[in-house]
Structure formats: C-alpha cells, structure tokens
Amino acid sequence: MFVENILTILLILPLITIFILFFLNEEKIIRNFGIFMSFFIFIMSLPLWILFDKSNSNFQFLLKIFWLDQFNINFYFGIDGISLFFIILTTFLIPICLLISYENIIKNVKEYFLLYFILEFCLIISFSVLDLLVFYIFFESVLIPMFLIIGIWGSRERKIKASYLFFIYTLAGSLFMFVAIIHLFLTTGTTDYQILYFSKFDNTFEKFYWLAFFLSFAVKVPMLPFHVWLPEAHVEAPTAGSVLLAGILLKLGSYGMLRFLIPLFPQASIFFTPYVLIICIISIIYSSLTAIRQTDLKRIVAYASVAHMNFIILGLFSITYQGLEGSVIQMISHGLISSGLFFSIGCLYDRYHTRFINYYGGLAHTMPIFSIILFVYILSNMSIPGSSSFVGEILILTGVFEHNITTAVFATIGMFLGGVYSLLFYNRICYGSLQTNYLKVFYDLTYREFLIHIALVFGIIVLGVYPTIFETCLHESISKILIHVEFQNI
C-alpha cells in the first residue's frame, strides 16, 4: 500500500506543511517546524529511489487524478529514471535552503517558509506530471514564489528590477509553448504525454511545435541571447534563493528538453540540432569570457552557470547514449556544485556585507576550513577527476565527439576557460594579502554552515566516485528515448 501511494504522499506532505504553517505565529517554531518537515519530505522521497525498478523503462508509481476528463486533460503522474533524481534533488535542496536562511531571514519569516514549500510542491509536480497542459501550469507557477523571494528578501535596491526581469523573460518565452500545447490539443484531442509520445505530426507543424517548446526551455536554461535575466536575478536574490535558482529551477529548462522536446518532436530535433550546437558553443565561450572579467562574486558564478548549463544542452543534442546520460549526471552535479558556490558567497556576504571581489584576499589565513571547502567546489567546477562534474563532462564530450568532432573541440575550449575563471575566483579570495582595510572581523564557518557544506560536498564526492548508483536508474529511460528517436527518423 505504501509503495503504491508513495508519490501521493510526497505530493501531499508540502500541502500539509503549508496548511500548518498558516496557523503558526512564533518565528522560532516556524523555522524549526519548517526545517523538520523539509527533512522529513526528503527522507520520504528516498523510497522512490530505493524501490525504483531499474530494469523497467516505463513510468512507475503512477497516479491519476481526474480533472477535465471530458477533454481528456487530467493530473497524471509517473516517475522514470530521469525524473527520479530531479525530485530527490528538489527535496534535498529545500532543507538546505531553509537551513541557510535560519539566521539570515528576520522579516516575514512565515511567508518566506511558505513560499519554499509552495515551490517544492510545484517542482515535484513539474518533474513527475505526464500531461503537457498540467506541466505548463506548474512550470509557470514556479515563477510566482521565486518572483516574491527575489523581490521581497533580495539584498539590494535593484531587487525589484531583477525580479521583474526574471518573471517577464521566463513568462514571455513560455507563452509560445502554451500556444503550441493548445494547437496540439486541437489537433490530437489530448495533452497526455504517453499518447503524444507515439503520435506522428506533420513535418511543418512539428517544426513549429519544436520552436515553441525550445524557446520556452531556452529562456529557462538560459541560452544566449535570453540569459540577461539570470545574473541580475542571482545578484539580487537572497543566498537561499540563488541556491534554489541555480540548483533546481534552471534544470526545468534542460529537463523539459529531455522529457518533451526531443522525444515528442524527434524529426525536428534532428533538423535543428546543428543550430542548437552553434548556439551552445557561442553561449559557453561568451559566458566563460564574461565570467573572467566580472568583479561581483555572484555574477562570476552566475555566468559560470550559463556556461555549464549550455554544456549540458550540448550533450542533450548530441542525441547519443553517452551524451544524454552525461547531461543528466551533469545536471545533478551542477545542482550540487553551484549551490555550494553560492552558499560560500553567502557565508562571506553575511560577514562582510559585500560581494566586490577586490575587497577580498588572504582568507586562507583567517578562514582555513572555508578555504578548503571552497577549493573542493572550485576543483569540482573545473571537472577534476573524482568530482561529480568530471563524470558528466567526460560522458558529454564522448557523446559530442561521436556526433561531431569540431563541436567537441570548441567545447573543450569552454572547459579550459572554466578552469581559468574558477582558479582566478579562488586565488583572489583566498590567497594574497589580507585586506584589513575592508575586512575587520574574522571567524571561520559556524557549525550550521559547516554541516550544510559537508552535505553538499558528500553528494559531489559520492556522485564523482561511485556514479553507478545513479546511472543504473538512468539506463533504461535513456535507451527508450534514443530508440524512439531513431525509430521516428527511419
């Protein structure tokens, strides 16, 4: 009974937490209850992984809730090897975000915690829903709590502009997908993913659908030239907001491409692949060079995120087994590494209230534990062997080499530039002379900060050293997509 309803329980728990939080008023109780429930939801998500049938390529833990049954539009949920890890990553990062905010958020604490559980609910649905219209609803619903988190709890005066940039860019891009979904419904009579998966579309219409979906997901990734909102949103968001934005919200775009774009429109995907690869290469090199010249710590990591996310899209559109599997591994890896980097910047900001890189230097002398942990993140960001991103990038590069050698050569330039901005970032913060003119108070990580870092570092090392526990769940789902794409293009 528990196994059959585990996904239902996981969807209900955030709603129960939201309901109870409404009736709590004391801030300490709200914080403690919110963190307890977020950890409990994470623990309840682990049976999805434990009980997952690795030899089955079909969707598991199926749940159907009738909504507009006469129009064949319903809440239909299921999990395969791809969506499994995005749900676990979501439930893992939410308690991390709430722990980060435990001492930093001092105003409107109840509303802040409520928004994170609303986000968690919308994200779990987005990663498990098997109906296009319902996916669109919750894909867009994610914007509202993040818009409020940036606009209300952001750190500077530009936070309102940043929240509107984030909202307008992502909403405008998604409207094209909405139009395509409506046309799909009028043409086929359904928005059920599993029915559309085996549908054959007119060649012209398929290209139109592909472009509409691609634009929506490209803005979310983001790819050039739709990347403008991301650095602004990161710089102005609170630390936990940046962690969640980089760790999981950006993955909605790449997940959407893997789940909907490539399987539903395989012929158009093959047709547009050369153009996508060109955009990815430009995005990787441009964002890497831009990261090198930034002076705001968050902007450096934000542009690094753009480069890494476009490297992931490069793997997806190699449309090879290694490329697709490497992209999923790299998405999980980026969720952990970028979260760790943004949290590290948050630790510095809490102490010194500045993110201007020229004010920092010599922190290896005064914050040795912080410097060691930051070095782990930097090495992981550079894809050093033994780190999670090495596994993802080596698989992506293998897949891209198999597809197109020229593209792979340009991709390695992006990897080299990644090493440049990563080492410059670390060198300017931790080495050199101590900037005593600007930095007056010196103390290393607190126990709370240390435990959060250990959780993230543990995930990075486990994924880097023993990726098999992740890959075994991915094999069948990735193979199913590739076989489907090959069959449709015969």
Short mmCIF file of all heavy atoms in Angstrom, two decimals, residues 317-373:
data_model
loop_
_atom_site.label_atom_id
_atom_site.label_comp_id
_atom_site.label_asym_id
_atom_site.label_seq_id
_atom_site.Cartn_x
_atom_site.Cartn_y
_atom_site.Cartn_z
N PHE A 317 21.81 17.42 -27.19
CA PHE A 317 21.59 17.46 -28.64
C PHE A 317 22.70 16.75 -29.43
O PHE A 317 22.71 16.81 -30.66
CB PHE A 317 21.42 18.91 -29.11
CG PHE A 317 20.01 19.40 -28.89
CD1 PHE A 317 19.66 19.99 -27.69
CD2 PHE A 317 19.04 19.22 -29.85
CE1 PHE A 317 18.36 20.43 -27.46
CE2 PHE A 317 17.74 19.63 -29.63
CZ PHE A 317 17.40 20.24 -28.43
N SER A 318 23.59 16.06 -28.71
CA SER A 318 24.44 15.10 -29.41
C SER A 318 23.58 13.89 -29.78
O SER A 318 23.90 13.13 -30.70
CB SER A 318 25.61 14.66 -28.53
OG SER A 318 25.15 13.88 -27.43
N ILE A 319 22.46 13.74 -29.05
CA ILE A 319 21.50 12.64 -29.22
C ILE A 319 22.23 11.29 -29.33
O ILE A 319 22.03 10.50 -30.24
CB ILE A 319 20.54 12.88 -30.41
CG1 ILE A 319 19.96 14.29 -30.31
CG2 ILE A 319 19.39 11.88 -30.42
CD1 ILE A 319 18.95 14.67 -31.36
N THR A 320 23.14 11.10 -28.38
CA THR A 320 23.83 9.82 -28.22
C THR A 320 23.59 9.33 -26.80
O THR A 320 23.21 10.11 -25.92
CB THR A 320 25.35 9.98 -28.44
OG1 THR A 320 25.86 10.94 -27.51
CG2 THR A 320 25.65 10.44 -29.86
N TYR A 321 23.83 8.05 -26.59
CA TYR A 321 23.59 7.48 -25.26
C TYR A 321 24.47 8.14 -24.20
O TYR A 321 24.00 8.55 -23.14
CB TYR A 321 23.86 5.96 -25.29
CG TYR A 321 23.54 5.28 -24.00
CD1 TYR A 321 22.24 4.92 -23.68
CD2 TYR A 321 24.55 5.04 -23.06
CE1 TYR A 321 21.95 4.32 -22.47
CE2 TYR A 321 24.26 4.43 -21.85
CZ TYR A 321 22.96 4.08 -21.56
OH TYR A 321 22.65 3.50 -20.36
N GLN A 322 25.77 8.28 -24.51
CA GLN A 322 26.69 8.89 -23.55
C GLN A 322 26.32 10.35 -23.30
O GLN A 322 26.40 10.83 -22.16
CB GLN A 322 28.14 8.83 -24.06
CG GLN A 322 28.66 7.41 -24.24
CD GLN A 322 28.50 6.94 -25.68
OE1 GLN A 322 27.51 7.27 -26.34
NE2 GLN A 322 29.46 6.16 -26.16
N GLY A 323 25.94 11.06 -24.37
CA GLY A 323 25.61 12.48 -24.24
C GLY A 323 24.40 12.71 -23.36
O GLY A 323 24.40 13.59 -22.49
N LEU A 324 23.34 11.92 -23.57
CA LEU A 324 22.11 12.10 -22.78
C LEU A 324 22.34 11.72 -21.32
O LEU A 324 21.92 12.44 -20.40
CB LEU A 324 20.98 11.25 -23.36
CG LEU A 324 20.43 11.67 -24.73
CD1 LEU A 324 19.29 10.75 -25.15
CD2 LEU A 324 19.94 13.10 -24.73
N GLU A 325 23.01 10.60 -21.10
CA GLU A 325 23.25 10.17 -19.71
C GLU A 325 24.20 11.13 -19.00
O GLU A 325 24.00 11.47 -17.83
CB GLU A 325 23.82 8.74 -19.69
CG GLU A 325 23.80 8.13 -18.30
CD GLU A 325 23.96 6.62 -18.34
OE1 GLU A 325 23.11 5.95 -18.92
OE2 GLU A 325 24.95 6.13 -17.77
N GLY A 326 25.23 11.58 -19.72
CA GLY A 326 26.16 12.55 -19.14
C GLY A 326 25.47 13.86 -18.80
O GLY A 326 25.79 14.49 -17.79
N SER A 327 24.50 14.26 -19.62
CA SER A 327 23.78 15.51 -19.36
C SER A 327 22.97 15.42 -18.08
O SER A 327 22.93 16.37 -17.29
CB SER A 327 22.85 15.83 -20.54
OG SER A 327 23.59 16.14 -21.69
N VAL A 328 22.31 14.29 -17.85
CA VAL A 328 21.53 14.13 -16.61
C VAL A 328 22.45 14.14 -15.40
O VAL A 328 22.18 14.80 -14.39
CB VAL A 328 20.69 12.83 -16.65
CG1 VAL A 328 19.93 12.64 -15.34
CG2 VAL A 328 19.71 12.85 -17.81
N ILE A 329 23.58 13.41 -15.49
CA ILE A 329 24.56 13.39 -14.40
C ILE A 329 25.08 14.80 -14.14
O ILE A 329 25.21 15.24 -12.99
CB ILE A 329 25.74 12.45 -14.74
CG1 ILE A 329 25.27 10.99 -14.84
CG2 ILE A 329 26.86 12.59 -13.71
CD1 ILE A 329 24.91 10.34 -13.53
N GLN A 330 25.35 15.53 -15.22
CA GLN A 330 25.89 16.89 -15.09
C GLN A 330 24.85 17.84 -14.50
O GLN A 330 25.21 18.78 -13.77
CB GLN A 330 26.37 17.39 -16.46
CG GLN A 330 27.11 18.71 -16.42
CD GLN A 330 28.47 18.62 -15.75
OE1 GLN A 330 28.81 17.60 -15.16
NE2 GLN A 330 29.24 19.69 -15.81
N MET A 331 23.58 17.64 -14.80
CA MET A 331 22.53 18.47 -14.20
C MET A 331 22.50 18.30 -12.68
O MET A 331 22.41 19.28 -11.93
CB MET A 331 21.16 18.11 -14.79
CG MET A 331 20.90 18.60 -16.19
SD MET A 331 19.22 18.18 -16.71
CE MET A 331 19.51 17.36 -18.25
N ILE A 332 22.58 17.05 -12.24
CA ILE A 332 22.59 16.77 -10.79
C ILE A 332 23.85 17.37 -10.18
O ILE A 332 23.79 18.02 -9.13
CB ILE A 332 22.54 15.25 -10.53
CG1 ILE A 332 21.30 14.63 -11.17
CG2 ILE A 332 22.55 14.96 -9.03
CD1 ILE A 332 21.37 13.11 -11.30
N SER A 333 25.00 17.16 -10.85
CA SER A 333 26.27 17.68 -10.36
C SER A 333 26.24 19.20 -10.25
O SER A 333 26.65 19.77 -9.23
CB SER A 333 27.39 17.25 -11.31
OG SER A 333 28.58 17.92 -11.01
N HIS A 334 25.75 19.86 -11.29
CA HIS A 334 25.69 21.33 -11.28
C HIS A 334 24.77 21.82 -10.16
O HIS A 334 25.04 22.85 -9.54
CB HIS A 334 25.20 21.85 -12.63
CG HIS A 334 25.09 23.34 -12.69
ND1 HIS A 334 23.90 24.02 -12.51
CD2 HIS A 334 26.03 24.29 -12.89
CE1 HIS A 334 24.11 25.31 -12.60
NE2 HIS A 334 25.39 25.50 -12.84
N GLY A 335 23.69 21.07 -9.91
CA GLY A 335 22.79 21.43 -8.82
C GLY A 335 23.49 21.46 -7.48
O GLY A 335 23.20 22.32 -6.63
N LEU A 336 24.46 20.56 -7.27
CA LEU A 336 25.19 20.50 -6.01
C LEU A 336 26.33 21.52 -5.97
O LEU A 336 26.51 22.24 -4.98
CB LEU A 336 25.75 19.09 -5.80
CG LEU A 336 24.72 17.96 -5.69
CD1 LEU A 336 25.41 16.60 -5.71
CD2 LEU A 336 23.88 18.10 -4.42
N ILE A 337 27.11 21.59 -7.06
CA ILE A 337 28.30 22.47 -7.07
C ILE A 337 27.91 23.94 -7.05
O ILE A 337 28.45 24.72 -6.27
CB ILE A 337 29.19 22.15 -8.29
CG1 ILE A 337 29.74 20.73 -8.19
CG2 ILE A 337 30.33 23.15 -8.41
CD1 ILE A 337 30.37 20.22 -9.47
N SER A 338 26.96 24.33 -7.91
CA SER A 338 26.56 25.74 -7.94
C SER A 338 25.90 26.15 -6.62
O SER A 338 26.10 27.27 -6.15
CB SER A 338 25.60 26.01 -9.11
OG SER A 338 24.41 25.25 -8.98
N SER A 339 25.16 25.22 -6.01
CA SER A 339 24.57 25.51 -4.69
C SER A 339 25.67 25.77 -3.67
O SER A 339 25.58 26.71 -2.87
CB SER A 339 23.70 24.33 -4.23
OG SER A 339 22.61 24.13 -5.10
N GLY A 340 26.72 24.94 -3.70
CA GLY A 340 27.84 25.12 -2.78
C GLY A 340 28.57 26.43 -3.00
O GLY A 340 28.93 27.12 -2.03
N LEU A 341 28.77 26.82 -4.25
CA LEU A 341 29.46 28.07 -4.55
C LEU A 341 28.64 29.28 -4.11
O LEU A 341 29.18 30.23 -3.52
CB LEU A 341 29.77 28.15 -6.05
CG LEU A 341 30.89 27.24 -6.56
CD1 LEU A 341 30.93 27.21 -8.07
CD2 LEU A 341 32.25 27.69 -6.00
N PHE A 342 27.34 29.26 -4.40
CA PHE A 342 26.50 30.39 -3.98
C PHE A 342 26.40 30.47 -2.45
O PHE A 342 26.36 31.56 -1.89
CB PHE A 342 25.11 30.28 -4.61
CG PHE A 342 25.04 30.81 -6.00
CD1 PHE A 342 24.77 29.98 -7.08
CD2 PHE A 342 25.26 32.16 -6.26
CE1 PHE A 342 24.71 30.47 -8.37
CE2 PHE A 342 25.22 32.66 -7.55
CZ PHE A 342 24.94 31.81 -8.60
N PHE A 343 26.36 29.31 -1.80
CA PHE A 343 26.32 29.33 -0.34
C PHE A 343 27.64 29.86 0.23
O PHE A 343 27.65 30.59 1.23
CB PHE A 343 26.01 27.94 0.21
CG PHE A 343 25.97 27.88 1.71
CD1 PHE A 343 25.28 28.84 2.44
CD2 PHE A 343 26.65 26.88 2.40
CE1 PHE A 343 25.24 28.80 3.83
CE2 PHE A 343 26.61 26.83 3.79
CZ PHE A 343 25.92 27.79 4.50
N SER A 344 28.76 29.51 -0.40
CA SER A 344 30.06 30.03 0.03
C SER A 344 30.10 31.55 -0.07
O SER A 344 30.59 32.24 0.84
CB SER A 344 31.19 29.42 -0.82
OG SER A 344 31.22 28.02 -0.68
N ILE A 345 29.56 32.07 -1.17
CA ILE A 345 29.49 33.54 -1.33
C ILE A 345 28.57 34.13 -0.26
O ILE A 345 28.86 35.19 0.31
CB ILE A 345 29.00 33.90 -2.75
CG1 ILE A 345 30.03 33.46 -3.79
CG2 ILE A 345 28.72 35.40 -2.87
CD1 ILE A 345 29.53 33.47 -5.21
N GLY A 346 27.47 33.43 0.04
CA GLY A 346 26.56 33.88 1.09
C GLY A 346 27.24 33.94 2.45
O GLY A 346 26.98 34.88 3.24
N CYS A 347 28.11 32.97 2.74
CA CYS A 347 28.85 32.97 4.01
C CYS A 347 29.73 34.22 4.12
O CYS A 347 29.82 34.84 5.18
CB CYS A 347 29.73 31.72 4.12
SG CYS A 347 28.82 30.18 4.27
N LEU A 348 30.38 34.59 3.01
CA LEU A 348 31.21 35.79 3.00
C LEU A 348 30.37 37.05 3.14
O LEU A 348 30.71 37.98 3.87
CB LEU A 348 32.04 35.85 1.72
CG LEU A 348 33.09 34.76 1.52
CD1 LEU A 348 33.79 34.92 0.18
CD2 LEU A 348 34.10 34.77 2.65
N TYR A 349 29.23 37.07 2.44
CA TYR A 349 28.37 38.26 2.47
C TYR A 349 27.79 38.49 3.87
O TYR A 349 27.66 39.64 4.32
CB TYR A 349 27.24 38.11 1.44
CG TYR A 349 26.41 39.37 1.29
CD1 TYR A 349 26.88 40.43 0.53
CD2 TYR A 349 25.18 39.50 1.91
CE1 TYR A 349 26.14 41.59 0.38
CE2 TYR A 349 24.42 40.65 1.78
CZ TYR A 349 24.91 41.70 1.01
OH TYR A 349 24.18 42.85 0.89
N ASP A 350 27.46 37.39 4.57
CA ASP A 350 26.93 37.52 5.94
C ASP A 350 27.95 38.17 6.87
O ASP A 350 27.57 38.86 7.82
CB ASP A 350 26.56 36.14 6.49
CG ASP A 350 25.35 35.55 5.80
OD1 ASP A 350 24.61 36.32 5.15
OD2 ASP A 350 25.14 34.32 5.89
N ARG A 351 29.25 37.96 6.60
CA ARG A 351 30.28 38.51 7.47
C ARG A 351 30.68 39.93 7.08
O ARG A 351 30.88 40.78 7.95
CB ARG A 351 31.53 37.61 7.42
CG ARG A 351 31.36 36.28 8.16
CD ARG A 351 32.35 35.23 7.64
NE ARG A 351 32.28 33.99 8.41
CZ ARG A 351 31.33 33.08 8.30
NH1 ARG A 351 30.33 33.27 7.45
NH2 ARG A 351 31.34 31.98 9.04
N TYR A 352 30.79 40.18 5.79
CA TYR A 352 31.41 41.43 5.34
C TYR A 352 30.47 42.33 4.52
O TYR A 352 30.86 43.44 4.17
CB TYR A 352 32.67 41.11 4.52
CG TYR A 352 33.61 40.20 5.27
CD1 TYR A 352 33.91 38.93 4.80
CD2 TYR A 352 34.18 40.60 6.47
CE1 TYR A 352 34.77 38.08 5.49
CE2 TYR A 352 35.03 39.76 7.18
CZ TYR A 352 35.32 38.50 6.69
OH TYR A 352 36.15 37.67 7.39
N HIS A 353 29.29 41.82 4.18
CA HIS A 353 28.25 42.63 3.51
C HIS A 353 28.74 43.27 2.21
O HIS A 353 28.40 44.41 1.90
CB HIS A 353 27.68 43.69 4.46
CG HIS A 353 27.17 43.09 5.73
ND1 HIS A 353 26.03 42.32 5.79
CD2 HIS A 353 27.66 43.12 7.00
CE1 HIS A 353 25.82 41.90 7.02
NE2 HIS A 353 26.80 42.37 7.79
N THR A 354 29.57 42.54 1.50
CA THR A 354 29.98 42.98 0.17
C THR A 354 30.29 41.75 -0.68
O THR A 354 30.72 40.72 -0.15
CB THR A 354 31.22 43.90 0.23
OG1 THR A 354 31.56 44.30 -1.11
CG2 THR A 354 32.41 43.19 0.84
N ARG A 355 30.07 41.89 -1.98
CA ARG A 355 30.43 40.82 -2.92
C ARG A 355 31.46 41.31 -3.94
O ARG A 355 31.72 40.64 -4.92
CB ARG A 355 29.17 40.30 -3.63
CG ARG A 355 28.25 39.49 -2.75
CD ARG A 355 27.18 38.78 -3.55
NE ARG A 355 26.29 39.73 -4.18
CZ ARG A 355 25.15 40.15 -3.65
NH1 ARG A 355 24.76 39.68 -2.47
NH2 ARG A 355 24.38 41.03 -4.27
N PHE A 356 32.02 42.51 -3.69
CA PHE A 356 33.02 43.07 -4.60
C PHE A 356 34.34 42.33 -4.39
O PHE A 356 34.91 42.36 -3.30
CB PHE A 356 33.18 44.57 -4.33
CG PHE A 356 34.06 45.27 -5.33
CD1 PHE A 356 33.89 45.07 -6.69
CD2 PHE A 356 35.06 46.14 -4.89
CE1 PHE A 356 34.70 45.72 -7.61
CE2 PHE A 356 35.87 46.79 -5.81
CZ PHE A 356 35.68 46.59 -7.17
N ILE A 357 34.82 41.64 -5.41
CA ILE A 357 35.94 40.71 -5.26
C ILE A 357 37.23 41.40 -4.83
O ILE A 357 38.08 40.81 -4.16
CB ILE A 357 36.14 39.90 -6.57
CG1 ILE A 357 36.98 38.64 -6.29
CG2 ILE A 357 36.75 40.76 -7.66
CD1 ILE A 357 36.95 37.63 -7.41
N ASN A 358 37.39 42.69 -5.18
CA ASN A 358 38.62 43.41 -4.82
C ASN A 358 38.75 43.65 -3.32
O ASN A 358 39.84 44.00 -2.84
CB ASN A 358 38.69 44.75 -5.56
CG ASN A 358 38.87 44.55 -7.06
OD1 ASN A 358 39.23 43.47 -7.51
ND2 ASN A 358 38.61 45.59 -7.83
N TYR A 359 37.67 43.53 -2.58
CA TYR A 359 37.72 43.71 -1.14
C TYR A 359 38.22 42.46 -0.41
O TYR A 359 38.46 42.51 0.80
CB TYR A 359 36.32 44.06 -0.59
CG TYR A 359 35.84 45.45 -0.95
CD1 TYR A 359 34.51 45.80 -0.77
CD2 TYR A 359 36.70 46.41 -1.46
CE1 TYR A 359 34.05 47.07 -1.09
CE2 TYR A 359 36.26 47.68 -1.79
CZ TYR A 359 34.94 48.01 -1.60
OH TYR A 359 34.50 49.26 -1.92
N TYR A 360 38.36 41.37 -1.14
CA TYR A 360 38.74 40.11 -0.51
C TYR A 360 40.19 39.76 -0.83
O TYR A 360 40.76 40.23 -1.82
CB TYR A 360 37.82 38.97 -0.96
CG TYR A 360 36.42 39.10 -0.41
CD1 TYR A 360 35.40 39.67 -1.17
CD2 TYR A 360 36.12 38.68 0.87
CE1 TYR A 360 34.12 39.79 -0.67
CE2 TYR A 360 34.84 38.81 1.39
CZ TYR A 360 33.83 39.37 0.61
OH TYR A 360 32.58 39.50 1.12
N GLY A 361 40.75 38.89 0.00
CA GLY A 361 42.12 38.42 -0.20
C GLY A 361 42.65 37.80 1.08
O GLY A 361 42.31 38.23 2.19
N GLY A 362 43.46 36.76 0.93
CA GLY A 362 44.13 36.17 2.08
C GLY A 362 43.25 35.44 3.07
O GLY A 362 43.66 35.21 4.21
N LEU A 363 42.05 35.03 2.65
CA LEU A 363 41.14 34.38 3.60
C LEU A 363 41.61 32.98 4.01
O LEU A 363 41.11 32.42 4.99
CB LEU A 363 39.72 34.29 3.01
CG LEU A 363 38.96 35.61 2.87
CD1 LEU A 363 37.55 35.36 2.37
CD2 LEU A 363 38.92 36.38 4.18
N ALA A 364 42.59 32.43 3.28
CA ALA A 364 43.14 31.13 3.69
C ALA A 364 43.80 31.23 5.06
O ALA A 364 43.90 30.22 5.78
CB ALA A 364 44.16 30.65 2.65
N HIS A 365 44.25 32.44 5.45
CA HIS A 365 44.88 32.63 6.76
C HIS A 365 43.86 32.71 7.88
O HIS A 365 44.11 32.24 9.00
CB HIS A 365 45.72 33.92 6.76
CG HIS A 365 46.76 33.95 5.69
ND1 HIS A 365 47.86 33.14 5.71
CD2 HIS A 365 46.86 34.70 4.56
CE1 HIS A 365 48.60 33.38 4.63
NE2 HIS A 365 48.01 34.32 3.92
N THR A 366 42.71 33.32 7.60
CA THR A 366 41.72 33.56 8.67
C THR A 366 40.53 32.61 8.63
O THR A 366 39.85 32.43 9.64
CB THR A 366 41.19 35.01 8.55
OG1 THR A 366 40.59 35.18 7.25
CG2 THR A 366 42.30 36.02 8.74
N MET A 367 40.27 31.99 7.48
CA MET A 367 39.15 31.06 7.34
C MET A 367 39.65 29.78 6.65
O MET A 367 39.25 29.48 5.51
CB MET A 367 38.01 31.70 6.54
CG MET A 367 37.44 32.97 7.16
SD MET A 367 36.17 33.73 6.11
CE MET A 367 34.83 32.54 6.22
N PRO A 368 40.51 29.00 7.31
CA PRO A 368 41.10 27.82 6.64
C PRO A 368 40.09 26.75 6.27
O PRO A 368 40.19 26.16 5.18
CB PRO A 368 42.10 27.30 7.69
CG PRO A 368 41.66 27.88 8.98
CD PRO A 368 41.04 29.20 8.67
N ILE A 369 39.11 26.47 7.13
CA ILE A 369 38.11 25.44 6.82
C ILE A 369 37.27 25.87 5.62
O ILE A 369 37.03 25.09 4.69
CB ILE A 369 37.22 25.14 8.04
CG1 ILE A 369 38.06 24.58 9.18
CG2 ILE A 369 36.11 24.16 7.68
CD1 ILE A 369 37.31 24.42 10.49
N PHE A 370 36.85 27.13 5.63
CA PHE A 370 36.09 27.68 4.50
C PHE A 370 36.90 27.57 3.21
O PHE A 370 36.38 27.18 2.16
CB PHE A 370 35.74 29.15 4.78
CG PHE A 370 35.19 29.88 3.58
CD1 PHE A 370 33.85 29.78 3.26
CD2 PHE A 370 36.02 30.66 2.78
CE1 PHE A 370 33.34 30.45 2.14
CE2 PHE A 370 35.53 31.32 1.67
CZ PHE A 370 34.18 31.21 1.35
N SER A 371 38.19 27.90 3.28
CA SER A 371 39.05 27.89 2.09
C SER A 371 39.20 26.48 1.53
O SER A 371 39.23 26.30 0.30
CB SER A 371 40.43 28.46 2.44
OG SER A 371 40.31 29.79 2.90
N ILE A 372 39.30 25.49 2.41
CA ILE A 372 39.42 24.09 1.96
C ILE A 372 38.14 23.65 1.25
O ILE A 372 38.19 23.04 0.16
CB ILE A 372 39.74 23.17 3.15
CG1 ILE A 372 41.14 23.43 3.67
CG2 ILE A 372 39.60 21.69 2.74
CD1 ILE A 372 41.44 22.80 5.02
N ILE A 373 37.00 23.94 1.85
CA ILE A 373 35.72 23.54 1.25
C ILE A 373 35.48 24.27 -0.06
O ILE A 373 35.04 23.66 -1.05
CB ILE A 373 34.56 23.78 2.25
CG1 ILE A 373 34.66 22.78 3.41
CG2 ILE A 373 33.21 23.66 1.56
CD1 ILE A 373 33.70 23.02 4.54
#
